[in-house]
Every structure is written in C-alpha cells, then in structure tokens.
Amino acid sequence: MRLPKTACAAAATISALLAALLAAAPSASAAGAEDPGSKPAEAIEIVTISGVKVDKEASAETRRIIRADLGAAAAAANVCGTGYNISTGAWREGTYGTTYTWTNGRTTGSSYYDKPICGVFFNDTGATRYMGVRLSSNYTSDASKQDFGRYSTYAGPVYQNRGYCGTVYSYMKDSNGRVVVDRVHTVGSCN
C-alpha cells in the first residue's frame, strides 16, 4: 500500500525531528559509570589505610573497622562498582554484619554535599537472613533508594546521587524473625 505524498512528507518531517531530538539528548550511562554532569570534588581529602582510600573526615571507628578487615572493605568497594573507592563510613552492626558507604570523589551539584554515595550491608552471620540497606539523600526531594530481601552475603548496592550527609539504614532479622539490626548512620562528616 502506498501512502499519499502528504503522509510521506509528514512521516519524513517527524522522523527528522525525532533524529534531531535523539542526537541532542544525553545518553544513558551504565551503573557505576561516571556521570557526564559530574565534576571532580576538590574539597574531599583522603587518607590511605593499607591501600584503601578513606575520607579524611571519616570517624576513628571507620578507620578501625577498615584496618581490622581490609579484605571485607575491598569487597564492599568492589560491590559498589568502578570508581567507588573512597570510604565515607563503616559501621559494625554487632556480630551480624557491617555497613559500608563509598563515594567516587565526584560532585553532582553546586554543594559540597552533592557527592554520589553507594551503600552496602554485609551479612556476617554465615546464613541467609532477611535484611536490607536504605540510602537517603541529604535533600528531602530525593527518594530513598533501598534493597531488602533474603540474602546470605549482602544487601545492596544502593546509590544516591547526592548522598553525602544523608543517612544509611541497615536492617536484619535473625532466623526466628526477631529484629537484630535496626540502625541509622550519617554518611560522611557533616556539621
């Protein structure tokens, strides 16, 4: 079936407009890839603990946890993906697990706090547990990102584009359904 000339002309015009819009639109990036709108964060300073980069403002407890198990810290950074290699916090959740937050040293806005954050909650029980991790931004307009389910190794990773000075929440139930971890921590050193 042949289309009338006016229909062909309209279809060609629409195709040309769509092609122009697609060419001008930013392309989507893969998870963990650098956001084209981000820029280096000159303000974040780091220290190195046996090869692991740590936010200079991180707590003494974060530094102690990383020193105590460098392998677990490196595994947490690997779970977050390429570029997330600066620890902004680590918290032991009793004998049940460890929560880690990482940044990639970039900023996504005009504020010092506009740093991408990745959160992971590692299960240290050796058994599958109902558990989860939730990252909340330091902006109330940003929706929280979370991962809850039955896991034997870790919950997450979850990401916030502007998560520095936000919060990370860790949750776990034991085999009897009793809540054993229900903790909120501030991400980064905030005033």
Side-chain angles (χ1 to χ4, degrees):
M1 171 161 115
R2 295 184 63 135
L3 293 174
K5 280 188 174 182
T6 55
C8 288
T13 302
I14 291 171
S15 293
L17 284 172
L18 283 172
L21 286 172
L22 289 172
S27 62
S29 60
E34 183 178 312
D35 179 358
S38 67
K39 55 188 180 273
E42 288 83 17
I44 196 166
E45 294 182 48
I46 61 168
V47 295
T48 302
I49 300 173
S50 299
V52 176
K53 295 177 186 176
V54 179
D55 182 344
K56 185 177 179 181
E57 302 297 322
S59 71
E61 181 66 3
T62 292
R63 294 171 192 221
R64 187 194 65 71
I65 290 168
I66 288 172
R67 270 191 206 99
D69 196 342
L70 292 167
N78 285 337
V79 166
C80 285
T82 303
Y84 284 87
N85 60 2
I86 302 169
S87 174
T88 59
W91 302 270
R92 286 289 304 150
E93 312 298 0
T95 59
Y96 303 105
T98 308
T99 303
Y100 294 93
T101 57
W102 299 86
T103 188
N104 61 9
R106 314 287 290 172
T107 61
T108 58
S110 59
S111 172
Y112 172 80
Y113 307 111
D114 294 348
K115 294 181 183 4
I117 297 293
C118 170
V120 181
F121 177 29
F122 272 80
N123 178 348
D124 294 342
T125 68
T128 300
R129 298 283 185 252
Y130 182 82
M131 59 187 293
V133 62
R134 177 183 305 128
L135 270 178
S136 297
S137 171
N138 57 338
Y139 294 86
T140 57
S141 61
D142 295 344
S144 295
K145 305 292 173 70
Q146 64 184 24
D147 181 32
F148 283 77
R150 295 186 52 77
Y151 302 113
S152 60
T153 53
Y154 59 84
V158 292
Y159 300 90
Q160 273 293 350
N161 212 22
R162 305 183 295 180
Y164 199 85
C165 287
T167 59
V168 61
Y169 171 69
S170 304
Y171 182 85
M172 181 185 280
K173 290 182 178 181
D174 68 12
S175 59
N176 297 316
R178 182 176 62 100
V179 176
V180 292
V181 177
D182 187 11
R183 307 260 320 258
V184 176
H185 306 282
T186 300
V187 177
S189 177
C190 307
N191 51 14

